[in-house]
Amino acid sequence: MTTQQPLSQANRLAHRIAGICLTYPDQDLVNSIPELKEAAHGHHRLTGFLDHVRCTPLMELAAHYTDVFDFKSRRSLYLSWWQDGDTRRRGASLVRFKQVYRSHKLEFTGAELPDFLPVVLDYTATVGNADLLQEHRSGLELLRLALADAQTPYAAVVEAVCATLPGPSPKDRAQALALARSGPPREEVGLAPYGAAR
């Protein structure tokens, strides 16, 4: 796979830190805050989130994470869900993620699905390009907007990732949906449930 969206060293580091921040919070995260803050210097959205983690009890952080990223909440961290929803097409999308990893001689062996955003961010940080995120930019932007609507500190983490990608982020859902329609036709699949009633 050719590199179309190269990442600077600073942005690779931002992806690595954002991926850590978007995983389920545990004591390891809390213990690593000083090191992560030093590494995130210059990325104010990430340092602000890390300050929030430092000042919040771990049990509260864990409960908030579960509440925010509950699949039913329409704030899914699984990128192919935004395109394919709960359809059979999602299986093909997951295979595509694995193929991309293998094309860079990276074997996916994690317990999470290969489209889990922290996994994708670890990949982009490792290989130094954002092609896979660009392929799923519309879903990433819809997630950013949904987190902002929920007024959760996690919004800043996804905003930090979006800020590393070329071009401005969509300002609202209509622009994000238009971004989806401007891509491959299959990108529209799974976006409709976003606005559906819970």
Side-chain angles (χ1 to χ4, degrees):
M1 183 176 179
T2 58
T3 300
Q4 301 295 326
Q5 303 295 339
L7 290 168
S8 68
Q9 196 62 38
N11 285 341
R12 289 174 74 163
L13 188 56
H15 284 205
R16 183 87 64 196
I17 295 168
I20 293 169
C21 291
L22 289 170
T23 56
Y24 186 82
D26 58 16
Q27 192 60 48
D28 286 343
L29 172 62
V30 174
N31 293 344
S32 63
I33 286 175
E35 179 184 355
L36 291 173
K37 276 202 71 176
E38 183 177 351
H41 179 73
H43 290 277
H44 66 278
R45 296 179 181 94
L46 294 176
T47 56
F49 176 80
L50 291 167
D51 283 337
H52 162 74
V53 172
R54 181 175 52 82
C55 297
T56 307
L58 182 56
M59 287 185 64
E60 186 177 329
L61 288 170
H64 181 70
Y65 183 95
T66 302
D67 181 59
V68 168
F69 296 116
D70 179 352
F71 186 77
K72 295 178 182 176
S73 72
R74 303 295 189 245
R75 294 186 289 266
S76 177
L77 285 171
Y78 297 91
L79 291 179
S80 69
W81 179 86
W82 294 95
Q83 292 182 354
D84 303 314
D86 288 327
T87 67
R88 284 181 292 180
R89 293 185 190 205
R90 190 169 175 217
S93 293
L94 294 175
V95 169
R96 160 75 177 145
F97 277 89
K98 290 183 179 180
Q99 289 172 338
V100 170
Y101 299 152
R102 287 188 191 122
S103 74
H104 289 277
K105 298 182 171 31
L106 300 171
E107 194 63 36
F108 178 77
T109 58
E112 282 290 353
L113 293 173
D115 65 335
F116 186 50
L117 182 54
V119 172
V120 179
L121 290 169
D122 187 61
Y123 158 79
T124 59
T126 298
V127 303
N129 81 67
D131 291 355
L132 200 51
L133 286 175
Q134 279 294 92
E135 287 181 30
H136 295 270
R137 179 76 180 265
S138 57
L140 185 65
E141 297 287 0
L142 284 168
L143 173 61
R144 175 183 62 81
L145 292 166
L147 293 173
D149 286 347
Q151 299 182 331
T152 169
Y154 284 105
V157 180
V158 177
E159 286 168 7
V161 174
C162 291
T164 68
L165 302 177
S169 286
K171 294 181 179 179
D172 54 35
R173 291 188 192 93
Q175 286 187 12
L177 290 168
L179 175 65
R181 287 191 291 273
S182 70
R186 71 184 190 88
E187 288 191 282
E188 295 186 31
V189 177
L191 292 173
Y194 180 81
R198 295 184 189 176

